[in-house]
Amino acid sequence: MDQESIVYGCIKDGSPLLGNAERIRINREAMLSLPHADEWPFLSQEMFSIPQIEMPTSSYQTEVMHFGASYKAVEYEWDQWIAQFESLLSKMYWVSATVHLETELSGTHTFTWESQSSYHKPGSGDMRVRCEWSHEGSLSF
C-alpha cells in the first residue's frame, strides 16, 4: 500500500467587519490564481475554502480560510510544498497560518506562520515559521 500523507490547516485574517473588505478580495484572488487539481500541483484551488466577496455575516472576529488534501508521501517533497505555500501567503493578508502534515511513518508535524507585525500585508515579506513535531501511537508487545 502507498504511503499516504494528509495536509490540512487554516489561514487566519482579521474580520472583514473590523477592517477593509478589500482584504477578502485580494485573498480570494490569490487562491483563485492557484492551478486546478487536475494539473497535479502541490497546492490547488480545490483544496481551499475560498472566501466569498460578499460581506460574511457569520464571521465573529476572524476570517478563517481552511484547506486540506491527501497526497502520496508528500513529505519527500515537503520543501517544494512549503515553497508554494509561502508563495501563496506572500500574496495575501493574514495574521497567522497553520499547516498540519500527518505522515504514516514520521508522525505529525505542525508548522505555524506568524506575521512580525499585527498582520501580513501582500509583498511585505514579514513571515516567521515555527515547526513542532509529535508522534502518536503505542508500542505493541
Side-chain angles (χ1 to χ4, degrees):
M1 186 166 159
D2 292 332
Q3 239 182 301
E4 183 180 30
S5 305
I6 305 294
V7 177
Y8 63 95
C10 67
I11 302 168
K12 298 177 187 175
D13 190 25
S15 172
L17 299 175
L18 300 175
N20 188 348
E22 181 73 0
R23 290 165 75 132
I24 290 178
R25 187 188 63 75
I26 289 171
N27 288 349
R28 177 181 169 78
E29 287 176 1
M31 287 182 255
L32 287 173
S33 73
L34 293 170
H36 288 281
D38 57 359
E39 298 173 32
W40 181 238
F42 289 111
L43 300 181
S44 67
Q45 290 180 27
E46 290 81 3
M47 69 185 285
F48 284 86
S49 65
I50 298 176
Q52 299 300 309
I53 300 268
E54 303 83 34
M55 293 295 286
T57 57
S58 61
S59 292
Y60 176 59
Q61 292 186 348
T62 303
E63 179 72 22
V64 180
M65 297 155 277
H66 53 86
F67 56 89
S70 171
Y71 299 91
K72 179 180 176 183
V74 75
E75 59 270 25
Y76 296 109
E77 301 171 294
W78 192 241
D79 289 345
Q80 293 174 52
W81 195 98
I82 290 290
Q84 287 188 16
F85 187 72
E86 287 184 336
S87 175
L88 174 65
L89 288 179
S90 73
K91 301 171 189 170
M92 297 176 67
Y93 283 98
W94 51 271
V95 174
S96 67
T98 302
V99 173
H100 301 283
L101 167 64
E102 293 181 1
T103 66
E104 291 182 10
L105 296 178
S106 60
T108 300
H109 303 260
T110 300
F111 299 82
T112 305
W113 285 260
E114 297 171 344
S115 174
Q116 293 177 345
S117 57
S118 58
Y119 64 89
H120 176 270
K121 183 178 179 182
S124 68
D126 63 343
M127 293 188 271
R128 289 182 302 197
V129 65
R130 182 178 74 242
C131 175
E132 298 174 11
W133 176 78
S134 65
H135 190 291
E136 296 179 11
S138 60
L139 297 174
S140 300
F141 293 101

